[in-house]
Amino acid sequence: MLSVYLYIPNVIGYLRVLMNCVAFGVCFSNKRLFSVLYFLRFVSTFGAVLDMVTDSVLVELLLLCRPGMIFLLLLALDIASHWFQMYSTFLSGKVSHKDVKDSTSWLFKLYYGYRPFMAYCCVACEVLYIALFLLAEKNSENLTDVLVSSVKRCSALSFLLVVSLFGWTIKQAVNVIQMKTAADVCVLYDIAKKA
């Protein structure tokens, strides 16, 4: 039993959680250190040990750093779409939540079927949130003001913000498609169960 807790990918996961706790502990007092720690935990486990739950929680925490209804709605969409997708995967007997071969959405199939594209969208989403966090002069600054002032600055961070906007948009669209598709699976399961 102890060997499971000390399994190397699990130990890396524990380190990621610890690094994230430290990052969010300094997020308002030292934005640069926060950004370095945030991305260090992402890059260090890219690939084989990328943990969906840990990553989702981190994005949600990052969204909570920005006040406003839009960020709360994005937070709810991200959590709900992933929850529905995981649950519908369980109901349909699939091995992975990324198995969307039977989907009618070309975007959904492209997202989960072409891993480099999915990686770009996921990283772009996190880069956008980090860039917004770093570009805001004060934590209560209006999102529109942050976007307008960042485009005027023409800095490297502004460039990252603009480049990541496409991937972020795709990821939000996929979240909506994912939630709708997974909700349909749950409804069809209920109908079949009652019949």
Side-chain angles (χ1 to χ4, degrees), residues 134-137 141 146 148-155 158:
L134 290 172
L135 288 166
E137 300 297 325
E141 194 172 358
V146 173
V148 170
S149 68
S150 69
V151 170
K152 289 179 182 176
R153 287 182 199 166
C154 293
S155 67
S158 301

Side-chain angles (χ1 to χ4, degrees), residues 56 59-60 73-83 171 175:
S56 291
V59 172
E60 275 74 16
L73 291 173
L74 290 171
L75 175 67
L77 175 63
D78 193 53
I79 292 170
S81 71
H82 282 87
W83 180 266
K171 183 145 180 14
N175 278 344

Side-chain angles (χ1 to χ4, degrees), residues 2 9 71 87:
L2 185 60
F71 290 99
Y87 198 74

Side-chain angles (χ1 to χ4, degrees), residues 24-105:
F24 281 98
V26 300
C27 71
F28 293 114
S29 62
N30 191 337
K31 288 184 174 184
R32 287 198 174 125
L33 177 60
F34 164 76
S35 300
V36 168
L37 289 173
Y38 186 87
F39 276 106
L40 185 61
R41 70 88 201 152
F42 181 72
V43 173
S44 66
T45 58
F46 187 76
V49 286
L50 196 58
D51 177 29
M52 186 179 84
V53 174
T54 304
D55 290 337
S56 291
V57 167
L58 296 172
V59 172
E60 275 74 16
L61 286 172
L62 187 56
L63 284 172
L64 288 174
C65 289
R66 297 284 315 146
M69 185 55 79
I70 186 78
F71 290 99
L72 291 177
L73 291 173
L74 290 171
L75 175 67
L77 175 63
D78 193 53
I79 292 170
S81 71
H82 282 87
W83 180 266
F84 270 98
Q85 183 68 7
M86 292 302 291
Y87 198 74
S88 69
T89 299
F90 168 73
L91 289 178
S92 60
K94 292 181 179 177
V95 176
S96 171
H97 70 284
K98 295 176 183 174
D99 178 1
V100 296
K101 289 180 229 113
D102 56 348
S103 175
T104 57
S105 169

